[in-house]
């Protein structure tokens, strides 16, 4: 019987030979008829039975899970986490791969995105092709680094804590997340019930003993009395204003990086890997090589991490301008850098604030945009400042590659690119690209 053109193919199974890894934590395969499958829980070179999880007859591609491994890869290991696998937790992508293979796959994805979106080979991007693990994360196969200092737990209808399934609102109840930092695990969020709560974000500072939970009640839900296994501050997300409000304890956590203490208020952004902030500051400063008297920009500056490192290095005759769209982060940045009068932090969107500052020249620039990237307009603005070096910090290789293409149109090329595995077991990878005017040498 012929299927309708828009008939769902969910549940259909195909025996396929698995091809290369693709951006997003899956591999590419094709059915005998040539239909493209994006398959999770498999590895390049394997032969598997893939069961469709999303897609219709008219879909350009189908999403699928490998439900049976017919010919395993030498890079495969048994997933250490019991909640990893088809139909289970969506938090990790590569529990079933050896750590070295995970980094190799991430490198292949970065290389593919650079080639496809920026027209660059690794050599042309100044990259040796490696993805470097964070200090302490180089563990044997079968062991999982416990690195995640911020975990967003979803709460199911019965009040049990868990994590979302892949591309789903369904909750996989768990008793422990293996990649959660020990200080998060010690809170015991998974042990208790959370009636009338939609989500619980657990935060453990890497620079102090500060711990925090941010509760989002269900519509009309009441806040429970929070009693966890360790002392903790409690914040809540307001139902009407969606703002974060203090319930009790400090409204911030104190982080430590770049030889400074950083206040991060009300669930604000901070790198989730304990080594990430120092790793990225070191890479950015080595790439920019700040000089005394430099005029520097820190765009999407958050609580001021790079602005602080630049402020220390440009000296009293230098100046640093940071721009950040989060009002709370701006307040934190101004507090964190109050001892550096050469640093100024402005509130607003980069594309709006930068033209209003009247700055028409900068010596060095660092930008750490959100996952979507900086975009063509901002890249054009930055290129017009004539900086001798620009450091681009990217959590998404596709956005990085797109923006590198825009920079190339404006006369800037990457001189150095480095990639760091700051999100082990997941498909995410952090990159730092150092750009310079194409006509100038090092």
């Amino acid at each position: 019987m012929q299927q309708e053109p828009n008939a769902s193919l969910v549940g259909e199974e195909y025996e396929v030979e698995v091809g290369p890894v693709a951006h997003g934590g899956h591999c590419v395969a094709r059915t005998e008829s040539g239909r493209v499958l994006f398959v999770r829980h498999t590895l390049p070179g394997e032969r598997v039975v893939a069961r469709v999880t999303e897609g219709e007859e008219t879909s350009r591609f189908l999403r699928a899970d490998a439900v049976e491994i017919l010919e395993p890869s030498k890079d495969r290991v048994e997933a250490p986490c019991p909640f990893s696998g088809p139909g289970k937790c969506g938090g990790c992508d590569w529990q079933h791969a050896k750590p070295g293979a995970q980094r190799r796959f991430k490198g292949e994805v970065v290389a593919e995105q650079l080639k496809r979106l920026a027209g660059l080979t690794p050599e042309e991007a100044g990259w040796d092709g490696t993805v470097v693990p964070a200090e302490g994360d180089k563990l044997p196969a079968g062991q999982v680094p416990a690195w995640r200092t911020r975990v967003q737990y979803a709460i199911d209808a019965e009040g049990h804590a868990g994590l979302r399934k892949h591309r789903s609102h369904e909750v996989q109840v768990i008793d422990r997340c293996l990649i959660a930092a020990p200080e998060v695990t010690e809170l015991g969020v998974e042990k208790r019930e959370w009636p009338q709560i939609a989500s619980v974000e657990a935060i453990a500072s890497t620079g102090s003993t500060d711990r925090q939970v941010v509760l989002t009640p269900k519509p009309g839900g009441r806040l429970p009395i929070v009693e966890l296994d360790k002392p903790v501050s409690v914040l809540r997300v307001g139902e009407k204003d969606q703002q974060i409000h203090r319930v009790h304890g400090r409204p911030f956590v104190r982080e430590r990086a770049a030889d400074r203490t950083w206040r991060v208020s009300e669930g604000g952004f901070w790198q989730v890997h304990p080594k990430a902030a120092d790793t990225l500051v070191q890479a950015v400063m080595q790439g920019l090589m700040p000089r005394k008297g430099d005029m520097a920009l820190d765009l999407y500056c958050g609580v001021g991490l790079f602005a602080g490192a630049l402020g220390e290095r440009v000296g009293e005759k230098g100046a640093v301008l940071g721009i950040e769209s989060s009002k709370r982060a701006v307040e934190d940045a101004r507090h964190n850098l109050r001892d550096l009068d050469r640093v100024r932090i402005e509130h607003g969107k980069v594309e709006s604030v930068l033209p209003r500052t009247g700055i028409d020249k900068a010596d060095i620039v660092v930008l750490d945009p959100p996952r979507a990237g900086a975009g063509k307009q901002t890249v054009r603005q930055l290129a017009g400042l004539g900086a001798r070096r620009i450091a681009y910090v990217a959590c998404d290789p596709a956005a990085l590659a797109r923006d590198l293409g825009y920079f190339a149109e404006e006369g800037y090329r990457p001189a150095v690119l480095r990639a760091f595995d700051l999100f082990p077991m997941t498909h995410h990878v952090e990159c730092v690209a150092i750009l310079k005017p194409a006509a100038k040498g090092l």
Side-chain angles (χ1 to χ4, degrees), residues 228-249:
L228 293 172
D229 294 351
K230 295 286 181 180
V232 64
S233 298
V234 179
L235 290 76
R236 69 168 290 166
V237 177
E239 185 176 339
K240 292 182 178 178
D241 62 7
Q242 295 300 301
Q243 299 298 307
I244 296 177
H245 305 277
R246 184 179 74 90
V247 178
H248 70 73

Side-chain angles (χ1 to χ4, degrees), residues 352-363:
S352 301
V353 173
L354 188 56
R356 291 204 309 262
T357 63
I359 293 172
D360 57 8
K361 185 180 185 308
D363 298 301

